[in-house]
Amino acid sequence: IVALFAGMLTKVGVYAMIRVLGGVFAPVFEALQPFVLTLAGLTMVLEPLNPWRDHAGCFLSKVPQAYMICRAVNSPSVKILDDLYHQQITEGNLIPNIDAAYSEIAYFQVGDNPGRKEPGTGEINYKRIFQHIHAKGFDGIIGMEHGNSIGGKKGERAVIDAYVAVDSFVND
């Protein structure tokens, strides 16, 4: 089964296999999913979302929950997407939470709070967070998932300037 499906994987391939084949095979595919992902060289990330502002009723809302799931699955192909916007709303205490789950974090998403705009428009000290994860040797992905606080070309320039500012610790 693994050899058959490993070549067919896409971003949603494993989920599609479970849905399409379903029935009595679903538990087998769910159990094999981390193994199949590993064989295919893929990583699935779990993203805790805030249940108060953006995702009411969401089950996975805190990084410690995602960390426990990753440790239970115990696969290099199942990791955490730590969306700092959501975690500031849900938990705060960002750097200690990063440290507590660091071994399972593969991806950070950036968006300031409130407003989910570029760094520097809210309360999150992204310069300090970037400095911290850089010092830890983070070599995963840092993604931008936010809007612009200003429209047009001026807004695009503001986003670039914001990232230059939060990256400036490298030159300090």
Side-chain angles (χ1 to χ4, degrees):
I1 293 173
V2 172
L4 174 65
F5 290 110
M8 297 171 47
L9 290 177
T10 64
K11 290 181 181 178
V12 294
V14 172
Y15 296 109
M17 289 186 318
I18 292 169
R19 284 192 195 118
V20 169
L21 298 173
V24 296
F25 294 108
V28 173
F29 289 117
E30 288 173 8
L32 285 174
Q33 182 172 321
F35 181 68
V36 172
L37 289 168
T38 301
L39 285 178
L42 299 174
T43 300
M44 176 180 78
V45 293
L46 307 176
E47 180 180 9
L49 303 171
N50 82 76
W52 296 300
R53 185 175 302 155
D54 302 304
H55 301 281
C58 182
F59 164 74
L60 187 61
S61 62
K62 296 184 177 180
V63 169
Q65 286 175 292
Y67 178 80
M68 287 188 296
I69 292 168
C70 288
R71 295 308 312 136
V73 172
N74 195 26
S75 169
S77 292
V78 179
K79 295 294 181 185
I80 297 169
L81 185 165
D82 191 348
D83 186 322
L84 298 169
Y85 162 81
H86 286 299
Q87 296 318 300
Q88 178 65 7
I89 294 168
T90 306
E91 303 171 73
N93 212 22
L94 297 175
I95 289 175
N97 283 327
I98 289 168
D99 288 344
Y102 186 76
S103 64
E104 300 300 328
I105 296 173
Y107 186 119
F108 288 98
Q109 270 184 347
V110 176
D112 219 330
N113 179 56
R116 197 170 193 116
K117 304 296 183 197
E118 70 270 11
T121 59
E123 63 192 9
I124 301 174
N125 185 346
Y126 275 106
K127 182 175 181 177
R128 178 68 187 107
I129 290 169
F130 285 2
Q131 181 180 36
H132 185 76
I133 63 176
H134 177 76
K136 292 181 82 60
F138 183 72
D139 64 355
I141 297 168
I142 299 176
M144 301 162 36
E145 187 182 29
H146 56 72
N148 297 357
S149 62
I150 303 167
K153 284 188 176 187
K154 188 175 180 183
E156 297 300 323
R157 183 77 246 169
V159 170
I160 292 167
D161 292 344
Y163 280 95
V164 168
V166 296
D167 252 1
S168 67
F169 70 86
V170 175
N171 300 320
D172 290 346

